[in-house]
Amino acid sequence: MKARRITFLAMLLALAIALGIAESFIPGFWMPGIKLGLTNIVILLVLYTLSPWEALFITLARVLLVSLIRGTFLQMGFLMSLSGALLSLLIMWLAKAFLKKLTIVGVSVLGAVFHNIGQVLVGVWYLENPAVLYYLPFMTLISIATGILFALAVEGILKTGVVKHLFKEDATH
Amino acid sequence: MMAFLKKHFFDGVAILSALILSITPIIILHFSAAKENLTASIYRSNALLMEIDLSKESEERTFVIQGAKSEMTIGVKKDAIAVLEAGCLTHSCVHQGYVSDSVTPIICAYNEVIIQLSGGVASDVVIR
């Protein structure tokens, strides 16, 4: 069970890294540093199939490795990515744990919105100028749409039962 | 249909709240923006680099400033300013084009340059 779980985590981490690098090539229109948050798909999947601690591991490892690969470690982009990812994970975990009436869609939207809030707050701190706050309403609109889409994608994956089947086989051996 | 709505009611509340919180500032910003007699303030690493009275600009012109990491070409014309070239990877600031209202900033995070416009009484002073 442990080996299968670790392998599954490793594959998800690789996927998160690939998505993190891929989305950096998508132009952020006119907003500096904006990302679609594709990696939230992986984080949502881990949150709903494994544990919050494993989601934290994937988040930290993904942000660190993508920044090392792209050569942006400890620069503004890294700090924005880290703060957004951590705040998003915290809010999604809290929403899933305490707001039981929210489905994965609501949790995902909250995560996406707070991902942007975390990024913008660090942007304001780093540049020492509140001008970055201008982009937050527009980023929030986009994140509502991406949050819904990603939640539907993860819901689709969960409905196939493939993850449950993955760990169920171990129980019979 | 009712079952779907019942299942996702609180999701809808969360989404609607986020929509209201995002659209309201956009509307307020749009109606509060000044579009004439604009002065551009260019900051680098949070220090004021220069101010330009855009209302005095009659023809389009360009000049180069030194950002934190690379040079940037700035274009100015009457009541508008833009970043035409920058050494950053994403060129978000360049894609933004000319900005001509007092609420929209131009930010080049790579060079730590922020251009902010303010509207008000026209000034005869250009500080460089």
Side-chain angles (χ1 to χ4, degrees), chain A residues 26-39:
Chain A
I26 300 171
F29 306 97
W30 69 94
M31 301 179 206
I34 187 173
K35 299 285 186 288
L36 282 178
L38 290 174
T39 52

Side-chain angles (χ1 to χ4, degrees), chain A residues 68-111:
Chain A
L68 288 173
I69 290 167
R70 297 193 64 230
T72 57
F73 183 59
L74 292 181
Q75 292 180 21
M76 182 178 160
F78 165 77
L79 295 171
M80 285 175 74
S81 187
L82 182 65
S83 62
L86 287 177
L87 186 60
S88 168
L89 175 61
L90 175 66
I91 294 301
M92 286 198 291
W93 170 67
L94 287 173
K96 182 175 176 287
F98 298 107
L99 301 176
K100 300 284 188 192
K101 294 196 176 184
L102 282 181
T103 69
I104 192 172
V105 174
V107 169
S108 177
V109 168
L110 284 178

Side-chain angles (χ1 to χ4, degrees), chain A residues 40-86:
Chain A
N40 272 357
I41 295 175
V42 175
I43 302 303
L44 263 180
L45 189 60
V46 177
L47 211 50
Y48 275 84
T49 56
L50 299 173
S51 74
W53 293 111
E54 283 154 326
L56 178 62
F57 163 74
I58 297 274
T59 297
L60 291 174
R62 187 268 301 178
V63 170
L64 176 65
L65 290 169
V66 168
S67 71
L68 288 173
I69 290 167
R70 297 193 64 230
T72 57
F73 183 59
L74 292 181
Q75 292 180 21
M76 182 178 160
F78 165 77
L79 295 171
M80 285 175 74
S81 187
L82 182 65
S83 62
L86 287 177

Side-chain angles (χ1 to χ4, degrees), chain A residues 29-32 76 101-103 105-106 109 113 126-129 131-132 134-135 137-138 140-141 144 148 155, chain B residues 7-8 10-11 14-15 18-19 22-23 25-26 29 43 46 92 95-96 103-107 109 112 114 116:
Chain A
F29 306 97
W30 69 94
M31 301 179 206
M76 182 178 160
K101 294 196 176 184
L102 282 181
T103 69
V105 174
V109 168
V113 169
Y126 189 91
L127 293 171
E128 296 177 77
N129 193 312
V132 188
Y134 167 81
Y135 297 109
F138 303 97
T140 302
L141 275 178
I144 291 169
I148 294 170
E155 206 170 43
Chain B
K7 184 186 174 189
H8 292 287
F10 288 97
D11 296 336
I15 290 167
L19 272 172
S22 57
I23 290 173
I26 292 172
L29 286 173
Y43 296 88
N46 203 36
S92 305
H95 294 142
Q96 194 169 353
V103 295
T104 308
I106 302 176
I107 299 175
E112 297 179 29
I114 296 177
Q116 284 179 289

Side-chain angles (χ1 to χ4, degrees), chain B residues 22-39:
Chain B
S22 57
I23 290 173
T24 305
I26 292 172
I27 294 171
I28 292 172
L29 286 173
H30 176 76
F31 284 110
S32 65
K35 294 190 180 180
E36 289 175 340
N37 295 326
L38 295 173
T39 300

